[in-house]
Amino acid sequence: MTSDQSAKDAATLSGAASLACDAPPRVAVMRFRRDFLRTAAGMRQPRKGLMLQARARDAEPDLIRVGFTCTRKVGNAVTRNRAKRRLRAAAQQVLRAHGRPGWDYVLIGRPGVTVTRDFGALCADLRSALEAVHGARGAA
């Protein structure tokens, strides 16, 4: 191995390490009822297109967890599934930038609104709810 090649390898490794530090936080989907119930005991932020529940978590401080739910009031199964798809898409766009690692979030669909609301407005609702949650708690 030449000295030029070892210098390139070292530069690549140091660059990879800096990229890993600057990487956006990981996002995982909550699956268990107990996680939803713990998050429901936390903070709530209602918005026109959705309801956000949030709770700081002690375990896994580098991970954002998110859950999605819609009650039968939202509509039939097709409507509920569409509402949850829209909530998942909004969370995918907004959470990495505005969510905080070490927090759990549950997005709840609203009857008649989550499905019909403009997608940009739905993302803005989520963004403002996250800002309100973290603004009320200060630096967490």
Side-chain angles (χ1 to χ4, degrees), residues 34 61 109 112 127:
R34 65 178 177 260
R127 202 173 303 114

Side-chain angles (χ1 to χ4, degrees), residues 1 10 14 24 33 38 43 49 58 63 65 68 74 77-78 80 90 106-107 111 113 115-116 118-119 124 135-136 139:
M1 184 182 283
S14 66
R33 184 174 190 267
R38 284 185 196 131
M43 303 172 68
D58 294 330
L63 180 68
R65 294 194 316 174
F68 308 94
V74 171
V78 173
R80 289 193 307 271
V106 173
L107 281 64
V113 181
V115 174
T116 59
D118 178 60
F119 185 71

Side-chain angles (χ1 to χ4, degrees), residues 38-86:
R38 284 185 196 131
T39 305
M43 303 172 68
R44 294 171 185 241
Q45 281 298 319
R47 293 294 183 264
K48 186 171 183 175
L50 57 91
M51 166 77 79
L52 175 72
Q53 297 175 339
R55 178 182 80 89
R57 187 181 69 253
D58 294 330
E60 299 179 284
D62 63 333
L63 180 68
I64 296 174
R65 294 194 316 174
V66 62
F68 308 94
T69 186
C70 291
T71 65
R72 290 172 72 186
K73 291 180 183 178
V74 171
N76 62 13
V78 173
T79 306
R80 289 193 307 271
N81 288 335
R82 181 165 187 224
K84 285 191 275 188
R85 279 195 310 270
R86 290 173 56 87

Side-chain angles (χ1 to χ4, degrees), residues 19-33:
L19 288 176
C21 295
D22 297 336
R26 294 181 308 139
V27 177
V29 178
M30 291 192 298
R31 302 274 183 213
F32 299 107
R33 184 174 190 267

